[in-house]
Amino acid sequence: MLVAFNKPMNVLSQFTDEGRWPGLSRFGLPKGVYAAGRLDRDSEGLLLLTDDGRLQARIAQPKAKMPKTYLALVEGTPDAAALGALRRGVALKDGPTRPAEVEQVAAPDWLWPRDPPVRLRKTVPEAWLELTITEGRNRQVRRMCAHVGLPVLRLVRTAIGPYALGDLPPGRWREEDARA
């Protein structure tokens, strides 16, 4: 079984609650599934869960190089140098990243409001980037963007390999055909 879940902001990618942060057990997910990879508490969007260990490994293992696509609201104005650095890969403390596909995109009109809302400053511009990476280090997209001077204000994963978030509302899930 493979389940696509739209993880809301401030929800953990584990079934147990931790402190004031709720876990996945509150969302009526099928018994026996577990996360294939993770999303940080302060990130939103597509989280895949499965009861198949081999499928979980194909989705989550960095050596599988399964692409993961994100929308990132960043503080600042992306320039050619910043986008070029992301496309080439950047040197983080834990080593260089693989090159990312990245484009500046229009603000998505389909995206749900975030709870709590993003604090935007009127004097600081912001922009949306669509990034696709093929590894999944801890807070990688946030660290890559910060490295090029574009701190992430909101991060939403929209796809993992052939699986897309689509119109799945936050806190809801659906079964997927396991085609990875």
Side-chain angles (χ1 to χ4, degrees), residues 65-142:
K65 298 183 182 176
M66 186 166 292
K68 296 164 187 73
T69 302
Y70 298 83
L71 281 173
L73 176 61
V74 297
E75 188 175 87
T77 303
D79 60 17
L83 296 177
L86 293 169
R87 289 180 184 129
R88 289 186 300 276
V90 297
L92 300 177
K93 288 181 182 177
D94 56 348
T97 66
R98 292 182 190 141
E101 293 176 24
V102 60
E103 297 294 331
Q104 185 171 348
V105 296
D109 59 2
W110 55 267
L111 193 59
W112 57 90
R114 194 183 83 172
D115 182 23
V118 176
R119 284 187 56 201
L120 299 175
R121 296 186 292 173
K122 292 181 182 189
T123 59
V124 179
E126 71 271 343
W128 283 95
L129 299 178
E130 183 176 69
L131 299 101
T132 300
I133 62 173
T134 57
E135 51 191 341
R137 298 186 206 177
N138 185 42
R139 302 181 71 76
Q140 181 175 341
V141 171
R142 291 178 188 278

Side-chain angles (χ1 to χ4, degrees), residues 2-177:
L2 182 65
V3 171
F5 176 63
N6 187 346
K7 189 190 88 59
M9 168 90 173
N10 290 328
V11 170
L12 302 175
S13 294
Q14 61 191 38
F15 278 87
T16 54
D17 296 351
E18 206 168 276
R20 67 182 209 191
W21 309 118
L24 299 174
S25 63
R26 300 179 181 213
F27 296 94
L29 290 156
K31 299 279 187 223
V33 297
Y34 49 95
R38 52 177 285 122
L39 265 178
D40 294 322
R41 176 193 52 80
D42 54 350
S43 298
E44 309 164 74
L46 183 62
L47 181 65
L48 296 176
L49 299 103
T50 183
D51 60 357
D52 179 337
R54 284 185 291 200
L55 178 58
Q56 188 272 346
R58 284 198 312 267
I59 294 168
Q61 294 300 320
K63 64 183 175 187
K65 298 183 182 176
M66 186 166 292
K68 296 164 187 73
T69 302
Y70 298 83
L71 281 173
L73 176 61
V74 297
E75 188 175 87
T77 303
D79 60 17
L83 296 177
L86 293 169
R87 289 180 184 129
R88 289 186 300 276
V90 297
L92 300 177
K93 288 181 182 177
D94 56 348
T97 66
R98 292 182 190 141
E101 293 176 24
V102 60
E103 297 294 331
Q104 185 171 348
V105 296
D109 59 2
W110 55 267
L111 193 59
W112 57 90
R114 194 183 83 172
D115 182 23
V118 176
R119 284 187 56 201
L120 299 175
R121 296 186 292 173
K122 292 181 182 189
T123 59
V124 179
E126 71 271 343
W128 283 95
L129 299 178
E130 183 176 69
L131 299 101
T132 300
I133 62 173
T134 57
E135 51 191 341
R137 298 186 206 177
N138 185 42
R139 302 181 71 76
Q140 181 175 341
V141 171
R142 291 178 188 278
R143 294 188 300 138
M144 289 175 72
C145 289
H147 183 82
V148 299
L150 299 168
V152 173
L153 303 171
R154 184 176 185 189
L155 188 62
V156 180
R157 184 160 57 198
T158 58
I160 301 171
Y163 307 104
L165 186 60
D167 59 0
L168 188 62
R172 304 298 293 263
W173 61 271
R174 68 171 176 257
E175 274 196 63
E176 292 281 342
D177 177 32

